[in-house]
Amino acid sequence: MKGALRHITGRLSGKAAPGDDRRKEFAMEEKTYVDDIDRSIYDIKNEEKDGFRVQEGLTPEIVAGISREKKDPSWMEIFRLQSLQIYNRMKAPDWGPSLEGLDMEHIVTYVRPNTHMSTKWSDVPEDIKNTFELLGIPQAERKSLAGVGAQYDSELVYHHVREEVAAQGVVYTDMESALRGEYASMVQKHFMKLVRPDDHKFAALHGAVWSGGSFVYVPPGVSVTIPLQSYFRLNAPGAGQFEHTLIIVGEGADLHFIEGCSAPKYNVANLHAGCVELYVGKNARLRYSTIENWSKNMYNLNTKRAVVEEGGVIEWVSGSFGSHVSCLYPMSILKGKGARAEFTGITFAGKGQCLDTGAKIVHQGPDTSSFINTKSISKDGGISTFRSSVTVGRDAAGSKAAVSCQSLMLDDYSRSDTIPAMDIRTPDADIGHEAQIGRISEEAVFYLMSRGIGEEDARAMIVSGFADNVSKELPLEYAVEMNNLIQLEMKGSIG
């Protein structure tokens, strides 16, 4: 299957650009064996050539310095400082995975690469460009994407949208340009209104130091037939990345947005505390797909939330394969009558990983419906925790919600927990929940081995089959890559 998106497992195909020795080194034909997959592409570490960085820690002076560097409008500088005050007042969560290894006094909250954002790939500095080329970003854009944004550390270095998509009135730009351009009032109206700084401590942190991210506006009735994608790469050790994604899909419009993430591995903690706010209009549809392959020194404390108007649909597709600690629970607020939400996710927790993930649904309007379908895999002592929260309000008569969680443990010392919560305030609702935890069937392994398949490959095949429902929800190229990444984890080669 030629032309698969490479930034999930790092497999490359096609011809190398003339003179690009590093690309030639990694260029290869498509592989079908697990041993051909190599994590080394993700662990490329460029020399730090930042144009500006703040000191470690978090003070009013640092936050004000970020605001000046970014040339924020006055309301944003005030917002940042108010968010910092909220951060300092709030306590860290007393539930979930331990965050003891995360010391904000040693985190650099803003690192600007020594370049400016460009709409021409040729203008991106060579070292940064080479990294994204090895990850397959420009090739993916040419073949199967309507637009691409590429962020390196704290700022976007490249952003481009196809002319035919822009001609439809679709706006796809970086957050900073949207904040100061003709859509400034729209940004101010929606920015951190779904995820407020007082939501939790790391939402407040995001409000204080956010940088980068994408702004998308799809006008009413417009259908974007091929996806938009933003890719976030954190290169600096001991740094944080705090991008903000704001998407507004107008009445009757349709969009698929893809988010990819990666970082090289360091011996110090890195932090990702981004924020995603999604506004889905009446009878509109938005699919938001995420494949996260952070390195295993990363604390991934991301917050994602969507509000859906009458007859609208939000679809989340999520794959979490990296980070040391992850806390991620996308929320869907079904505000209008007949609004729908679907969440499909898979989590793979390996050695040294504690991945605490799940989804939240709030049914506010009548006749709303939701379906959460997740699968988690644990091996080599990894801890996978699934949390779901379903709330059905008094005015949400006729609503339906179903939650399905399946967990697979591959050894005797890994752990998998399921923690569901339901708050139902109306008698006129149909609510269901099921959870299953199991092990790989030795009979199935024996059967595959009897057909000439090695034991390790047999187990990898069973795990890939377990994750098949998530694969089917991804674009074809992503599905292939996700299965390869599962096989790579089964080999124990990551991290």
Side-chain angles (χ1 to χ4, degrees), residues 181-200:
E182 66 176 296
Y183 295 94
S185 60
M186 186 181 292
V187 172
Q188 186 173 0
K189 179 181 178 181
H190 293 88
F191 184 85
M192 293 203 79
K193 297 300 193 297
L194 273 181
V195 180
R196 302 178 65 87
D198 58 4
D199 196 79
H200 58 81

Side-chain angles (χ1 to χ4, degrees), residues 263-282:
K265 184 180 180 182
Y266 293 105
N267 293 322
V268 295
N270 279 61
L271 170 63
H272 177 238
C275 181
V276 174
E277 296 184 290
L278 310 177
Y279 293 84
V280 183
K282 181 179 179 180

Side-chain angles (χ1 to χ4, degrees), residues 49 51 112-117 123-125 128 156-157:
K49 299 178 182 178
R112 175 171 58 79
N114 191 22
T115 185
H116 298 284
M117 194 194 73
D123 292 340
V124 177
I128 298 176
L156 271 85
V157 296

Side-chain angles (χ1 to χ4, degrees), residues 471-490:
S471 299
K472 289 178 178 177
E473 296 299 324
L474 291 167
L476 185 59
E477 297 87 350
Y478 278 82
V480 172
E481 298 294 351
M482 193 193 79
N483 284 331
N484 284 340
L485 188 55
I486 288 173
Q487 293 178 50
L488 177 57
E489 288 279 12
M490 292 295 293

Side-chain angles (χ1 to χ4, degrees), residues 300-429:
N300 181 31
L301 311 176
N302 214 0
T303 306
K304 301 180 179 183
R305 195 161 297 171
V307 62
V308 188
E309 302 295 341
E310 179 181 349
V313 179
I314 177 66
E315 300 173 352
W316 304 89
V317 181
S318 177
S320 297
F321 293 92
S323 75
H324 171 56
V325 169
S326 193
C327 296
L328 179 61
Y329 324 97
M331 175 186 281
S332 304
I333 301 171
L334 304 180
K335 181 180 177 182
K337 180 180 180 180
R340 295 190 291 117
E342 293 185 16
F343 179 88
T344 304
I346 185 163
T347 301
F348 198 125
K351 184 177 181 180
Q353 290 183 274
C354 184
L355 305 186
D356 199 299
T357 63
K360 302 177 183 179
I361 307 288
V362 178
H363 293 258
Q364 292 183 346
D367 301 322
T368 51
S369 61
S370 64
F371 180 45
I372 299 174
N373 184 16
T374 70
K375 297 193 176 184
S376 64
I377 303 163
S378 304
K379 72 181 286 280
D380 291 340
I383 301 173
S384 178
T385 301
F386 167 75
R387 299 178 192 267
S388 67
S389 172
V390 176
T391 301
V392 181
R394 292 182 176 86
D395 297 327
S399 293
K400 299 179 180 180
V403 179
S404 174
C405 171
Q406 295 177 292
S407 301
L408 186 64
M409 292 184 292
L410 306 184
D411 50 52
D412 294 328
Y413 52 98
S414 297
R415 178 172 172 175
S416 181
D417 294 316
T418 300
I419 307 174
M422 293 188 175
D423 182 3
I424 314 303
R425 303 296 179 95
T426 176
D428 184 13

